[in-house]
Amino acid sequence: MNGTHRGLNRALLGVLGLALAAAGAISILAGTSPAFAQRWTATGTELWASVQGSLAAAKIPGADISWWSVAVLATLVIVAVLLVCWIASQGTGRSNQLAQQDSNSDTERAGAGSDTTGKTTVDTAVAAQAIKAALADNTQVLATSVQSWNNKSWNNKSWTNKAWNNTSGGSNSGLKISIQTRKGASPVEVMAAVDHLVEGLDQLLGFRPPVLVRIKAGTRTLFARTERVA
């Protein structure tokens, strides 16, 4: 539901896994085969001598460093910047708006011919407050958090109320409901309660946004007392 680049993450993990597997295989061969260890040592020595020769042949005039050293340093800086950008892009896509309606869409449908324009938005806080208030009296629930995320793959044609749309620059948003339960709580009962709330929320909002429900345990679950029903 978030904006994490899953394809890029999988590619990077695959490359890292292959590199580690190759390093492990070379280490095993070097430890079990003396002939391979000798060839590996000789190859490494030749490569290091070649690197030293290249550095000595490309020194900057008037300085004791090589152009290759500057190039390697610049490459490391670029890689570091790319890594920071990659880390910052993880988990993006959070939105504070759940829906948006253009007022001119209604007038066009009604044939009023008015040129009045405007937008009506539904904040995520509306859904969050409704869900938290409905689960406040549930003894199996310790805490609830609600977030909305941009969902580019969701087709807005599935909305039941066509007055709400995002064809004029709005964003497709879905809800993520995280529920922390008590020890011994029944996930089935909690999920049934959440399903009932989501159905009521659909009727309240007039459309059906995609919903991801996460039932989890945490530190509060460990220290909270267990509710018993006589």
Side-chain angles (χ1 to χ4, degrees):
M1 182 176 286
N2 56 33
T4 300
H5 304 287
R6 294 178 177 84
L8 177 60
N9 291 349
R10 293 189 180 100
L12 291 176
L13 288 176
V15 172
L16 180 60
L18 291 176
L20 292 177
I26 292 174
S27 300
I28 293 174
L29 287 175
T32 57
S33 175
F36 179 82
Q38 292 178 357
R39 290 196 301 270
W40 180 258
T41 302
T43 302
T45 303
E46 292 177 0
L47 287 176
W48 180 243
S50 176
V51 169
Q52 287 182 327
S54 299
L55 292 176
K59 285 189 175 181
I60 299 176
D64 196 22
I65 60 175
S66 170
W67 287 108
W68 289 108
S69 300
V70 176
V72 170
L73 180 60
T75 302
L76 291 177
V77 172
I78 293 173
V79 171
V81 172
L82 292 177
L83 287 175
V84 170
C85 295
W86 174 66
I87 293 173
S89 68
Q90 304 301 302
T92 58
R94 184 177 298 182
S95 173
N96 60 354
Q97 293 182 357
L98 184 59
Q100 176 180 286
Q101 179 190 26
D102 293 337
S103 60
N104 57 347
S105 299
D106 292 337
T107 56
E108 290 173 0
R109 293 189 183 93
S114 174
D115 59 353
T116 302
T117 60
K119 292 182 180 180
T120 302
T121 59
V122 177
D123 289 342
T124 307
V126 175
Q129 291 175 2
I131 294 173
K132 291 180 180 180
L135 293 175
D137 296 331
N138 193 321
T139 57
Q140 299 188 81
V141 176
L142 284 174
T144 305
S145 64
V146 180
Q147 299 173 340
S148 64
W149 299 81
N150 293 330
N151 188 4
K152 297 180 180 179
S153 61
W154 178 44
N155 186 358
N156 62 352
K157 293 182 180 180
S158 63
W159 290 19
T160 57
N161 188 343
K162 299 301 183 179
W164 289 95
N165 61 80
N166 64 345
T167 57
S168 300
S171 60
N172 292 326
S173 296
L175 281 178
K176 178 183 178 182
I177 305 175
S178 300
I179 299 176
Q180 188 171 343
T181 59
R182 293 183 183 273
K183 291 183 294 185
S186 172
V188 176
E189 295 179 3
V190 174
M191 194 64 210
V194 175
D195 285 340
H196 180 70
L197 290 178
V198 171
E199 292 177 0
L201 184 63
D202 294 342
Q203 297 177 1
L204 176 65
L205 296 177
F207 61 91
R208 300 183 62 185
V211 178
L212 172 66
V213 179
R214 181 185 180 190
I215 300 176
K216 61 181 181 179
T219 306
R220 292 185 59 182
T221 302
L222 298 176
F223 293 99
R225 62 186 181 89
T226 303
E227 291 289 337
R228 298 184 180 276
V229 179

